[in-house]
Amino acid sequence: MGITRFTNCSLALPDGSLRRSDLFIDTDSGKIISGQAHFFSTRQPVDRTIHLQGNILAPGYIDAQINGAFGVDFSSIDEGDATYLKRLNEVSRRIVETGTTSYVPTIITQRKELYQKLLPLLRPRSAPDGAHVLGYHAEGPFLIPEKKGAHEESFLLDASQGIKSWEEVYGAAALDQEGVKIVTAAPDVEGVLECIKPAVERGVTVSIGHSNAPVDVAAKAVSLGASWVTHLFNAMPQMHHRDPGVIGTLGAQDESQRPFYGLIVDGIHVHPNAVRLAYDCHPEGAVLVTDAMSLMDPRLPDGKHEWRDGRYIVRDGLRLYIEGTSTLAGSAISLDHCVRNLASFTSIPLSKAIQCATWNVAQMLGGDVAKRKGALLEGRDADLVVLDRDGFLQSTWVMGKEVYTL
Amino acid sequence: MRLSIRDSPEQVGLYVGDYLAKRINEFKPSAEKPLFVLGLPTGSSPLPTYQSLVELVQRGDLSFKNVVTFNMDEYVGLPRDHPESYHTFMYTNFFSKIDIQPNNTHILDGEAEDLLHECAEYERKIKSVGGIDIFLGVWERMVISPSTRCPGSSLVSRTRIKTLAYDTILANARFFNNDLSAVPRMALTVGIATVMDAREVILVVTGQKKAMALAQCIENGINHFWTASALQSHPWSLLVCDEDATLELRVKTVRYFKSIEKVQDEVEAKYGGAAVRKTRVNGVH
């Protein structure tokens, strides 16, 4: 216990640079501290020094779109609250094996009644020796049917009563609860545009997704407060040169009107060239997500697996298809793999790719998360990952405690 | 007074680093006392020396485990964690890279409630560890301590508050976002007598700008406007400079000191120990 000093390492800083420097953490408070302040105020040596052999020390990764993992589906609550929370804890404990120290469980379009059972359970929580749950990401049900992807069409809704429609589905309490609250909705669905401002005022992060909106409608959504685009390129129209659509928001003349955008960089959902184009256009907005499904588990074999609502998913390496179709379902990739892919697809330094799974995500989520997570800065939570120079995970730390080692 | 002339500031750093390492290792400081007591400066001149010392520690040739340090000065009213404070300088460039024990380091506290008490306490602490074995100083603008920066300093001064000269404040403005009002006006600094009380004093002098001052201090009399001249009456002082700093010295002065060094080297070679260090300081590893 006490003060731990990481030395012989390169720190991945919030601006995407790498700097050879020590990092000091207080294992009792679980925070990053200033080595200098500790030196002069306590006049005590550190309790433990860890030599990282030239490896990279980075903030722990944050996944803002993940539907499940390790056999657990966040949208399923068939066996009651206690079991759901137990399964959530299991995911928290295992997901640190991917370098993820914080995540936002994502609920895909559901039967209306399920939201009010699920969302209150997704308040911020931390499992011992596991990653933090930051809140919820409700992807749907206010989506455009033509762009539903793997969502169930019969559950899609419109918001004809404005914010009251959202309250009716999610529950007013869920829109006001503490923690991260992301809602992915299509601005071209009736009534959604009117919901944006009131929701944002209540602390909701509104994200544009599964939409056919023309660029001016998408831009309007951003001007009303929508700050994220859900999995850019997927479930939205291709960029047309006379109507760039949702993707076109990245090219807004006023830079403050360019939203953050999620990218699934598994090499399957988005072609590397498209990843590069988006990143080069708006690097500060890039947010890496896994959009992982319950079948995300390095140990799971290929083949058919039962999913939900009577459907099956076929797993072929990192590809997941809805059985009998060529529709891509979510992904089976881990976040640390996405970071490595981004660096190699775009030829940016690894530290800049790390920025897209840490600092950018924290900034996008705002609030408490933006202040406490996603950066190796004094006062922030000591959620860390140690990576080798190629970005392969060596160990994961949550609140100053080592929770995973290779 | 000895003057050792090296080729460049980096060579000065290597030379002083090796010299200090030799002195400390010969002393064999231990936890059961006595500890080795070192006076230290800040500024750009001693940086090559600090780098050299850090390398020696990393190689295992030197340890600061039983060394006590006293810094020369600190700004008044500047928070300890300010990027321009001397606490930050010492931590960033030295203390964080060596094996010194935090409670063996001493730096004047410019935020102390009672500044006069802080100065008196500092002198008392130096006395309590048995005085300073080697005081390493630098020479910014004609005086031993960089913080004084004003021409006149009493040769019998002790640790006290000193106001900075206006041109010093102007020169420092670039470190404070060019905001003159943000630059500290005063500093706490050890006195000339405090430095002179050390058993040995080493002065690092590099660059052409110091050439006139070096010449005044070696070739002319003791004068409070050239406070380093006080070293003329110190029993054991060493000035280490680069070639540029000798530009205002008489040729015969330079030749005199170089010949002393040559004889010194022969004596040391005869009695061992110097050979390895010599090849190092001449840039041959």
Side-chain angles (χ1 to χ4, degrees):
Chain A
M1 284 292 109
I3 309 296
T4 296
R5 169 185 172 218
F6 292 96
T7 190
N8 197 0
C9 53
S10 292
L11 304 186
L13 298 176
D15 63 357
S17 66
L18 218 52
R19 187 177 73 202
R20 267 201 81 85
S21 183
D22 291 352
L23 190 81
F24 294 78
I25 63 172
D26 181 341
T27 55
D28 296 318
S29 68
K31 301 269 181 203
I32 298 170
I33 61 166
S34 153
Q36 178 178 330
H38 178 260
F39 186 97
F40 289 122
S41 57
T42 69
R43 299 284 172 166
Q44 292 294 316
V46 300
D47 299 286
R48 187 179 169 200
T49 298
I50 299 178
H51 289 261
L52 293 181
Q53 265 99 305
N55 279 335
I56 294 172
L57 185 59
Y61 296 153
I62 306 172
D63 195 348
Q65 182 168 13
I66 171 170
N67 310 289
F70 306 106
V72 177
D73 179 348
F74 298 136
S75 301
S76 158
I77 190 169
D78 304 334
E79 293 166 353
D81 293 6
T83 309
Y84 185 85
L85 290 174
K86 188 160 151 274
R87 294 239 171 87
L88 196 60
N89 280 352
E90 277 163 29
V91 173
S92 298
R93 261 191 290 276
R94 288 214 52 201
I95 203 150
V96 294
E97 295 167 20
T98 67
T100 303
T101 54
S102 298
Y103 65 106
V104 188
T106 305
I107 315 293
I108 66 165
T109 301
Q110 290 304 303
R111 251 175 272 275
K112 218 165 94 163
E113 303 73 45
L114 273 175
Y115 286 98
Q116 305 207 22
K117 285 193 196 166
L118 278 166
L119 301 185
L121 295 177
L122 293 172
R123 290 186 153 85
R125 62 190 293 120
S126 302
D129 295 354
H132 311 279
V133 168
L134 296 179
Y136 66 77
H137 179 169
E139 189 187 9
F142 304 98
L143 314 175
I144 279 286
E146 294 84 15
K147 294 292 175 194
K148 67 180 187 292
H151 292 233
E152 176 51 50
E153 182 159 358
S154 60
F155 299 151
L156 298 178
L157 297 171
D158 66 42
S160 49
Q161 294 180 68
I163 192 72
K164 288 234 175 311
S165 302
W166 283 23
E167 286 179 345
E168 209 193 295
V169 171
Y170 302 131
L175 289 174
D176 294 321
Q177 75 188 33
E178 75 272 22
V180 166
K181 299 164 288 201
I182 308 173
V183 168
T184 291
D188 43 335
V189 163
E190 188 194 339
V192 166
L193 276 176
E194 293 144 50
C195 300
I196 298 176
K197 203 147 173 277
V200 169
E201 274 161 18
R202 286 159 92 156
V204 174
T205 301
V206 174
S207 187
I208 303 168
H210 291 268
S211 164
N212 243 340
V215 67
D216 53 324
V217 172
K220 182 105 176 86
V222 174
S223 71
L224 287 168
S227 51
W228 201 29
V229 171
T230 303
H231 47 54
L232 187 79
F233 297 119
N234 305 112
M236 58 186 61
Q238 294 172 44
M239 205 191 88
H240 188 281
H241 47 286
R242 277 189 291 274
D243 180 7
V246 176
I247 298 168
T249 55
L250 261 63
Q253 182 172 35
D254 179 355
E255 282 176 41
S256 70
Q257 293 301 299
R258 294 184 191 168
F260 288 96
Y261 53 97
L263 273 177
I264 306 171
V265 187
D266 59 357
I268 297 162
H269 280 74
V270 182
H271 190 281
N273 287 22
V275 170
R276 198 172 303 119
L277 281 171
Y279 183 83
D280 283 348
C281 169
H282 183 31
E284 312 80 46
V287 169
L288 291 172
V289 297
T290 58
D291 198 18
M293 302 188 77
S294 54
L295 293 112
M296 195 291 278
D297 183 349
R299 304 181 210 167
L300 202 69
D302 286 355
K304 204 166 93 168
H305 298 276
E306 195 178 346
W307 183 35
R308 56 178 300 112
D309 309 316
R311 295 193 282 170
Y312 285 78
I313 299 271
V314 177
R315 185 191 162 120
D316 173 16
L318 285 180
R319 277 170 199 278
L320 297 175
Y321 296 101
I322 300 190
E323 196 204 6
T325 74
S326 57
T327 306
L328 279 177
S331 80
I333 197 169
S334 61
L335 197 46
D336 62 319
H337 197 165
C338 295
V339 170
R340 293 192 296 276
N341 279 351
L342 181 65
S344 76
F345 291 175
T346 57
S347 306
I348 59 177
L350 188 67
S351 52
K352 282 231 165 266
I354 291 170
Q355 194 186 12
C356 299
T358 55
W359 176 255
N360 289 3
V361 196
Q363 292 303 296
M364 187 271 290
L365 294 174
D368 204 40
V369 174
K371 293 195 198 105
R372 287 178 45 192
K373 307 235 181 252
L376 298 181
L377 294 171
E378 199 187 323
R380 300 225 171 195
D381 291 350
D383 295 339
L384 314 165
V385 286
V386 177
L387 310 162
D388 70 12
R389 289 274 153 171
D390 296 318
F392 287 91
L393 188 67
Q394 307 298 302
S395 66
T396 308
W397 301 65
V398 173
M399 302 304 282
K401 199 166 156 216
E402 189 174 30
V403 293
Y404 168 74
T405 182
L406 188 61
Chain B
M1 171 190 285
R2 246 187 76 193
L3 175 69
S4 180
I5 302 165
R6 319 314 309 174
D7 292 331
S8 67
E10 292 71 39
Q11 290 297 316
V12 169
L14 284 174
Y15 185 89
V16 178
D18 282 355
Y19 186 92
L20 286 171
K22 174 169 167 261
R23 282 272 179 270
I24 294 172
N25 288 334
E26 278 171 358
F27 187 96
K28 293 196 188 30
S30 70
E32 291 83 32
K33 309 270 178 163
L35 302 161
F36 192 94
V37 186
L38 203 51
L40 293 177
T42 52
S44 51
S45 299
L47 273 176
T49 304
Y50 284 131
Q51 275 154 20
S52 174
L53 289 169
V54 165
E55 273 167 40
L56 285 161
V57 171
Q58 283 169 353
R59 269 213 302 274
D61 292 334
L62 175 61
S63 168
F64 278 82
K65 216 158 138 253
N66 295 308
V67 175
V68 173
T69 64
F70 286 88
N71 262 70
M72 295 181 85
D73 44 17
E74 176 59 283
Y75 288 113
V76 168
L78 201 62
R80 205 159 62 183
D81 57 2
H82 190 282
E84 294 305 320
S85 83
Y86 290 159
H87 280 79
T88 299
F89 178 96
M90 290 308 298
Y91 181 80
T92 312
N93 295 305
F94 199 48
F95 297 150
S96 61
K97 301 180 179 179
I98 56 172
D99 60 346
I100 196 163
Q101 300 193 57
N103 61 342
N104 279 346
T105 65
H106 303 274
I107 307 182
L108 284 156
D109 179 6
E111 288 184 291
E113 285 263 336
D114 184 344
L115 294 173
L116 292 175
H117 174 81
E118 174 67 13
C119 293
E121 221 358 69
Y122 205 66
E123 289 278 342
R124 196 199 60 76
K125 260 187 268 185
I126 293 174
K127 245 207 187 95
S128 75
V129 294
I132 294 176
D133 293 298
I134 298 185
F135 214 123
L136 179 65
V138 293
W139 200 337
E140 310 294 292
R141 306 256 190 99
M142 303 174 286
V143 295
I144 296 182
S145 164
S147 76
T148 55
R149 302 275 179 128
C150 68
S153 238
S154 161
L155 296 172
V156 295
S157 54
R158 301 223 74 106
T159 304
R160 69 236 187 272
I161 309 168
K162 201 101 168 69
T163 45
L164 305 183
Y166 195 63
D167 62 335
T168 303
I169 295 168
L170 284 176
N172 284 349
R174 71 181 193 273
F175 299 122
F176 293 87
N177 281 320
N178 286 316
D179 176 9
L180 275 184
S181 62
V183 182
R185 268 30 187 180
M186 299 188 295
L188 298 183
T189 183
V190 298
I192 304 299
T194 319
V195 176
M196 293 289 283
D197 273 356
R199 284 176 273 286
E200 186 177 353
V201 180
I202 303 176
L203 208 60
V204 169
V205 190
T206 53
Q208 192 196 355
K209 290 201 195 124
K210 317 282 173 40
M212 178 54 80
L214 183 64
Q216 292 287 348
C217 290
I218 294 179
E219 293 173 342
N220 292 349
I222 295 181
N223 185 304
H224 68 151
F225 274 116
W226 310 100
T227 48
S229 62
L231 292 178
Q232 289 176 24
S233 63
H234 191 283
W236 194 7
S237 67
L238 166 66
L239 276 67
V240 186
C241 70
D242 62 351
E243 291 282 349
D244 281 350
T246 65
L247 286 171
E248 295 286 346
L249 286 172
R250 292 208 177 94
V251 175
K252 72 178 183 186
T253 309
V254 172
R255 285 210 186 147
Y256 168 72
F257 284 111
K258 281 193 171 171
S259 78
I260 298 250
E261 181 140 21
K262 188 158 176 289
V263 174
Q264 173 89 3
D265 284 347
E266 280 169 16
V267 166
E268 283 190 9
K270 192 168 175 188
Y271 295 101
V276 171
R277 276 182 295 109
K278 188 166 190 292
T279 53
R280 253 203 93 212
V281 300
N282 286 336
V284 177
H285 270 255

